Amino acid sequence: LKNYRTLKKLAIESGWEFGEGWIFGDGSDGRPAEHVVGKPLVEAASLCDAELHSSSFSEVPNRPIQRPRRPEIYTPPLLLIHKHADLNFGVWSRYYLTYRHTIFGLSAASGNRGNLEKAVTWLESQKTVLQAIIALSGTAALVSKATAVLSEDILQLPFPDEWNLAL
């Protein structure tokens, strides 16, 4: 598996912005977050391996945000992956959409949108294999909840140049 291109390499080659979403804080550690507070929010439970439905969105409340992240990662088109062993995902292309730290997002707003579509198709077709790879090689099970997945585990998933694992 180490010989295959990873999602991280694909993202960098494609010029995508990527990262996990924001985290609530408290009054002592809140940071400026105008690009998060009051904006549309999707929760991990809404990721259902398809185009997201805006009816499931809420709005980020006006509370301190400890780690608001960069606005670029919330700009569509987006591929959002739940940081969980099930690897549920969703795609969104209509407007700015925030997500919390339990979701890892990839934005092709300033990069190769065609490759994002290919990555979605790859994830759909190879989800069971990718889940097995996470279960066997993911690091979160060693340090956290057994079903939790770290952002780095998702970035290390194989997304081959030829879109074929040939296992």
Side-chain angles (χ1 to χ4, degrees):
L1 289 175
K2 298 219 184 277
N3 294 329
Y4 292 111
R5 175 183 62 188
T6 63
L7 178 56
K8 183 176 186 175
K9 185 172 182 196
L10 172 63
I12 292 168
E13 290 172 353
S14 298
W16 301 339
E17 298 290 336
F18 55 91
E20 64 185 23
W22 56 269
I23 298 173
F24 275 124
D26 59 39
S28 67
D29 64 1
R31 296 197 177 116
E34 296 80 24
H35 65 286
V36 174
V37 172
K39 304 297 187 219
L41 165 67
V42 64
E43 297 285 357
S46 297
L47 303 183
C48 57
D49 301 348
E51 181 76 22
L52 297 169
H53 297 286
S54 60
S55 61
S56 67
F57 300 165
S58 60
E59 186 177 286
V60 179
N62 188 7
R63 286 182 43 197
I65 305 292
Q66 181 185 34
R67 294 190 179 129
R69 312 296 185 204
R70 298 170 295 111
E72 294 84 4
I73 67 170
Y74 305 120
T75 305
L78 298 168
L79 168 57
L80 305 176
I81 304 171
H82 188 196
K83 291 171 44 181
H84 187 274
D86 61 17
L87 292 179
N88 285 343
F89 65 93
V91 292
W92 183 249
S93 58
R94 292 180 44 209
Y95 50 80
Y96 191 86
L97 181 63
T98 70
Y99 46 91
R100 294 170 61 154
H101 66 98
T102 57
I103 295 176
F104 184 83
L106 300 118
S107 166
S110 61
N112 186 321
R113 294 172 185 230
N115 275 353
L116 190 72
E117 292 170 13
K118 289 177 185 174
V120 169
T121 300
W122 172 254
L123 188 53
E124 287 171 335
S125 69
Q126 300 298 315
K127 186 175 176 185
T128 303
V129 172
L130 297 174
Q131 288 169 330
I133 291 169
I134 286 285
L136 293 171
S137 64
T139 55
L142 302 174
V143 296
S144 183
K145 296 179 189 173
T147 57
V149 174
L150 300 177
S151 297
E152 191 59 29
D153 295 334
I154 292 171
L155 285 169
Q156 293 309 311
L157 287 171
F159 279 67
D161 294 307
E162 301 301 320
W163 306 100
N164 183 354
L165 280 175
L167 295 176

